[in-house]
Amino acid sequence: MALYPLIYGIRASFHAYRYGRDVGSAGFKNYDAVLHDHTFWTALGTTAKYVAFAVSIETLLGLGLALLVVNQLRFSRFIRVGLILPMTVAPVVVGVIWRLMYASDIGVVNPLFSSLGLGSPNVLANPGSAFIGVVAVDVWEWTPLLFLIILAGLQSLPQEPLEAARVDGAGPVRVFFDHTLPLLRPVLMVAVVLRLIDAVGTFDQIFVLTKGGPGTATQLISTYSYNTAFLFTQYGRAMAMVVALMVLVLLLTIAAIRFMRTAAMRTSS
Amino acid sequence: MTGARARAYARIAALGLALVVALFPFWWMLVTSFKQPVDIFRGVSLLPQHPTNDNYSRLFSNYHMGSFLMNSLIVVTVAVAVSLVLGTLAAYALARFRLRFGLNESALVAALLVRTLPPILLVVPIYLTLSKTGLLNTRLGLIIVYAGLNTSFVIWMMQSFLEEIPRDIEEAAMVDGDSRLRALWRVVLPLAGPGLAATAIFSVITTYNDFLLALTVTSTPSAQTVPVGVSTLIGKIQIEWGPMAAAGVVGALPIMIFAVVVQRHFVRGLTMGAVK
């Protein structure tokens, strides 16, 4: 079930499709077309930018929140439930929520900005702000994932080395960088790699929020290949695009399996 | 002491702000869904001025929300049930036997592969296959695909839960005359109960939330699921904000309840068993 679509997809990337019908082998023509397609490179660049910004912000925020919550026993349960809700709902619903927040006529973001004297940006209508807008939505939706995994990691850390360092007179900052962070590394890696892999495939929210626009400001490989396949029925070309992307993701996957193994061993021992 | 106190307040303030940022957008959707059209356009108001359930009734009468919900219910229930049975049996085999040719390893890697491929890569081949077999725009087509995709998740999760159950227990049952399958059913599964429940709920969440696949292989309300239904409300030239907000609420609510129930197992589910 896993391998059949994969093999089919790779095969399709070497076939030509006319009006959605397979008309025989095309050799490397699809790949050639993709590599000479200016929009593909733009979309690849946007995807890389999107993933880099979103994942790094989410990691820092998630780590910060986890550190704030980890020793806060009183409300930690309530806070946890509250903080994880954004990632539980369907990405489509996340898109709807932020359409309602960003809308220039009925939203909240515009009035909020103008009350702070920052003008009223029509977030999703301008290329620059639309990109920031969709990254912000990703951060809102997925910081909880990093937060939760890192929190679990922090709670399972052995306490003795940390105690020993404290007894030796190390301040909280020293303890964090010299002891907590290295111990946390495997779990942190699992979280970041998982998020990275998912972020590369982001589609739903973009589809609902901007459909890749305005212009190509928020066009990711996922939305571009979706359009190529289902708007222009160029299945072969769409698949060539995604296979190229997949090679990148595959490298991430190998790293993911490695890190997950080490993390599994550390947390279980 | 005052420094510590100040730090405690700063911490509470930071967490409070994070909670507001996380939760306010939900509140805004909820409020908008109970507003009348005029009030929606009348500036920011954190409570509906004249509460109405008009948006909800129009959602069900004009926008097919009833059939979207029904499709989701049927597809998710059957697909998750099938994948739980297949996946648990496979996970049991992987947890208890060393298979030849390093099959244990490759089976797990293949299962992880599905999780890591860009979804769009799976969608085009699945679309083309379903169109050849006449299963496009049917619930059966969705069920088959979701069951298949979810099985790999079940294998990973259940394998990590089953490995924690000591072999001695089922071996004792087998000495007493149970067959292996009977021992699995009578002894192992009850012990793995919480893990199985968490896996099931997780599967429900991811299957119910899926959008891309359902978007491509369904085209009419006879098979479209809730997320696709929600997105069709946006496609129109003029956005109907009220019904759209209501659709968002209907789409989010069942899943939020499930999520709160399994939050203890969340990390394990998200990392496919790597972090507990």
Side-chain angles (χ1 to χ4, degrees), chain A residues 213-242:
Chain A
T216 57
T218 58
Q219 185 81 285
L220 307 181
I221 295 286
S222 59
T223 52
Y224 185 47
S225 55
Y226 175 86
N227 290 342
T228 309
F230 295 107
L231 238 49
F232 307 114
T233 61
Q234 294 286 339
Y235 300 119
R237 216 165 133 175
M239 284 292 86
M241 226 177 266
V242 187

Side-chain angles (χ1 to χ4, degrees), chain A residues 123-138:
Chain A
V123 179
L124 297 179
N126 303 306
S129 58
F131 181 77
I132 297 173
V134 293
V135 170
V137 171
D138 198 282

Side-chain angles (χ1 to χ4, degrees), chain A residues 26-132:
Chain A
F28 281 92
K29 277 212 187 92
N30 288 323
Y31 287 93
D32 195 51
V34 165
L35 294 181
H36 287 96
D37 177 3
H38 183 67
T39 318
F40 169 77
W41 290 107
T42 315
L44 190 63
T46 312
T47 306
K49 230 168 47 169
Y50 179 89
V51 172
F53 277 118
V55 176
S56 50
I57 297 171
E58 284 155 17
T59 308
L60 289 178
L61 279 179
L63 181 62
L65 284 172
L67 286 170
L68 283 179
V69 171
V70 70
N71 294 322
Q72 178 87 27
L73 289 173
R74 218 158 8 136
F75 307 107
S76 80
R77 204 163 185 169
F78 169 72
I79 292 170
R80 243 172 65 137
V81 174
L83 287 182
I84 64 173
L85 282 181
M87 75 172 172
T88 61
V89 297
V92 167
V93 173
V94 171
V96 166
I97 288 175
W98 285 94
R99 281 295 285 255
L100 292 166
M101 294 286 291
Y102 282 146
S104 57
D105 43 3
I106 69 135
V108 177
V109 173
N110 266 2
L112 182 70
F113 271 65
S114 53
S115 75
L116 294 172
L118 298 168
S120 47
N122 190 350
V123 179
L124 297 179
N126 303 306
S129 58
F131 181 77
I132 297 173

Side-chain angles (χ1 to χ4, degrees), chain A residues 86-95 141 204-205, chain B residues 208-210 227 251-252 255:
Chain A
M87 75 172 172
T88 61
V89 297
V92 167
V93 173
V94 171
E141 185 181 6
D204 306 6
Q205 311 90 305
Chain B
Y208 177 92
N209 281 353
D210 172 78
I255 291 313

Side-chain angles (χ1 to χ4, degrees), chain B residues 8 12 29 45 55 73 102 146 149-150 160 166 169 193 209 212 235 242 258 260 262 267 272-273 275:
Chain B
I12 289 169
M29 172 170 74
S45 152
N55 295 322
L73 182 71
Y146 283 142
L149 292 179
N150 193 56
S160 96
I169 300 178
N209 281 353
L212 179 56
F258 272 133
V260 171
V262 282
V267 171
M272 299 188 82
V275 181

Side-chain angles (χ1 to χ4, degrees), chain A residues 8 11-27 29-30 233-237, chain B residues 128 132:
Chain A
Y8 193 130
R11 194 180 140 264
S13 74
F14 290 103
H15 276 234
Y17 287 80
R18 199 162 294 138
Y19 305 114
R21 303 186 72 172
D22 190 342
V23 293
S25 176
K29 277 212 187 92
N30 288 323
T233 61
Q234 294 286 339
Y235 300 119
R237 216 165 133 175
Chain B
L128 294 173
K132 266 191 222 152

Side-chain angles (χ1 to χ4, degrees), chain B residues 204-226:
Chain B
V204 167
I205 294 177
T206 45
T207 309
Y208 177 92
N209 281 353
D210 172 78
F211 173 64
L212 179 56
L213 198 103
L215 176 73
T216 47
V217 304
T218 62
S219 49
T220 66
S222 69
Q224 283 171 326
T225 56
V226 171

